[in-house]
Amino acid sequence: MRAGLLHGVRDLRVEEIDPPTPGRGEALVRIAACGVCPSDLRGYLGSRVGTLPRRLGHEWSGVVEALGEPLDDSDQQITTGSRVVVDWRCVCGRCYECRRGVFGYCENLRRGTLGGFADYGTAPVSQLRVVPGSVPLEEASFCEPLACVLNAHSFTEIPVGADVVVVGLGPIGLLHLQLARSRGARVIGVDPLPSRRELALALGAHDVIDAAQESPVAEVQALTEGRGADAVLIAVGAVDAIRQGLEMAAINGWVNIFAGTHPPADVPVDPNLVHYRQLRVTGSHDYNPHHFSTALKLLQHKIVRVAPLVSHRFELAALSEAFETTANRRGMKSIVSPEGKVEEDQASSQA
């Protein structure tokens, strides 16, 4: 079978490797779609060092081709032919962090799944979620990033009628926007790219600000009668965006720093800003299993729409082009599938 292997900076090759065999308690999945994530880009561009060569990709969905020997005699919801999406984070449920509900920091976290940008992958059956027939497999591949967004919102109070600013209107920012809108917020989007601001309006933003031509902080003040935002979700890892996001927040406001900053950087912040406005500044990283399941439910019921976020589709053979497209911020989300299009089963096409 074919798989994308990273050999070095911008050296991503699609090679023939031996097909995987599902072990005990595992499933062999024919991969339908895998999204290109910024964390994949860090390895591709050299800001994240790891063992080479290695496979990339963790936002994947597909169809179960075969099952290994079951772990026990209990009923299996997953069968051959099941349409599934894969939660790559295998948490133990027993360590200190898991026992207190902080699954994203499981002390025994392992990547028990092996798939991504390839023809086939394997995963523990416990890490699979059955995809409802009404959800295309391409859309199901958004479960992982949407789960991360849900985690951020669990740290951010957004009451009905709150003024919420989303800084950065890439795919992640537009997931934040839709989730905040679904919670009854008035949403303001900030981005320098016209195409992204236009899409934000189409997906429910009430106002957008051109970060390149206007003063985002002053514009937020003007749009909120001088108060500032009740919550600010910073979906881009840039020093200026983080600094401005803090300045946009109202008294008792929430600020979530969602995106990592690579390479690491210092952000000049006057601590009096946090002190006198009583700001609640939080960070968020990854997700827990419940967030992943909830993400699939939001997709199933169209509470969050992800089809408009897909701007490019690539076949596996063009994997490097998919990464370059994302690295150069062309369009929005790039999806890779083995043949360049996601083959849906009959149940999905009739839903």
Side-chain angles (χ1 to χ4, degrees), residues 20 27-36 40 55-64 84-89 111-124 127-129 131 137-145 292 335-336:
L28 175 69
V29 179
R30 174 168 50 85
I31 296 172
C34 186
V36 179
D40 295 319
R55 288 169 62 172
L56 299 176
H58 55 275
E59 301 176 1
W60 55 289
S61 61
V63 178
V64 174
V84 296
V85 61
V86 182
D87 176 1
W88 72 268
R89 298 179 60 81
R111 191 174 188 136
T113 66
L114 184 61
F117 303 110
D119 288 314
Y120 292 92
T122 55
Q127 297 305 113
L128 304 181
R129 309 290 198 283
V131 177
L137 288 173
E138 180 178 87
E139 295 186 17
S141 69
F142 279 83
C143 275
E144 197 272 352
F292 197 93
I335 298 289
V336 177

Side-chain angles (χ1 to χ4, degrees), residues 26-342:
E26 291 186 335
L28 175 69
V29 179
R30 174 168 50 85
I31 296 172
C34 186
V36 179
C37 173
S39 63
D40 295 319
L41 279 181
R42 290 170 200 144
Y44 178 73
L45 298 175
S47 62
R48 174 177 289 175
V49 180
T51 303
L52 298 173
R54 71 176 184 271
R55 288 169 62 172
L56 299 176
H58 55 275
E59 301 176 1
W60 55 289
S61 61
V63 178
V64 174
E65 287 274 302
L67 293 167
E69 180 185 351
L71 290 175
D72 52 46
D73 296 328
S74 60
D75 292 337
Q76 294 287 338
Q77 185 184 20
I78 306 295
T79 62
T80 301
S82 292
R83 303 168 67 251
V84 296
V85 61
V86 182
D87 176 1
W88 72 268
R89 298 179 60 81
C90 300
V91 301
C92 74
R94 302 182 304 274
C95 69
Y96 173 78
E97 299 297 351
C98 284
R99 288 199 307 271
R100 70 189 190 113
V102 190
F103 296 96
Y105 292 86
C106 171
E107 296 167 3
N108 303 305
L109 180 70
R110 64 186 181 90
R111 191 174 188 136
T113 66
L114 184 61
F117 303 110
D119 288 314
Y120 292 92
T122 55
V125 171
S126 61
Q127 297 305 113
L128 304 181
R129 309 290 198 283
V130 174
V131 177
S134 60
V135 181
L137 288 173
E138 180 178 87
E139 295 186 17
S141 69
F142 279 83
C143 275
E144 197 272 352
L146 182 52
C148 294
V149 169
L150 281 161
N151 183 42
H153 282 240
S154 72
F155 290 101
T156 310
E157 277 191 16
I158 300 180
V160 173
D163 290 312
V164 175
V165 173
V166 178
V167 181
L169 299 174
I172 288 291
L174 293 178
L175 294 177
H176 276 295
L177 182 157
Q178 293 182 74
L179 190 56
R181 172 79 190 240
S182 75
R183 300 175 69 181
R186 177 272 189 101
V187 186
I188 302 166
V190 181
D191 199 279
L193 299 181
S195 60
R196 295 190 171 192
R197 296 196 303 273
E198 291 170 9
L199 184 53
L201 289 170
L203 290 174
H206 298 88
D207 299 280
V208 292
I209 296 170
D210 182 352
Q213 301 297 325
E214 303 164 5
S215 169
V217 176
E219 287 297 311
V220 167
Q221 292 287 327
L223 290 168
T224 58
E225 299 178 345
R227 293 187 298 270
D230 300 299
V232 181
L233 302 161
I234 306 171
V236 57
V239 169
D240 283 347
I242 296 170
R243 177 182 55 77
Q244 291 175 354
L246 289 165
E247 293 174 357
M248 291 173 185
I251 293 171
N252 275 8
W254 292 81
V255 180
N256 177 259
I257 301 175
F258 179 89
T261 302
H262 298 272
D266 294 327
V267 179
V269 176
D270 179 357
N272 284 320
L273 178 67
V274 178
H275 171 67
Y276 285 112
R277 290 193 194 173
Q278 295 189 157
L279 301 184
R280 280 75 61 86
V281 182
T282 67
S284 59
H285 175 65
D286 283 331
Y287 57 92
N288 69 40
H290 180 62
H291 293 138
F292 197 93
S293 298
T294 302
L296 183 56
K297 186 174 183 179
L298 295 180
L299 297 178
Q300 177 185 3
H301 295 287
K302 310 299 182 187
I303 296 170
V304 173
R305 296 166 53 208
V306 295
L309 306 186
V310 180
S311 60
H312 292 80
R313 295 175 176 87
F314 297 90
E315 61 182 355
L316 186 57
L319 185 57
S320 291
E321 184 182 353
F323 271 66
E324 286 295 326
T325 296
T326 303
N328 289 289
R329 300 184 71 193
R330 294 195 293 267
M332 294 293 289
K333 188 73 170 182
S334 292
I335 298 289
V336 177
S337 58
E339 304 304 329
K341 63 179 181 178
V342 180

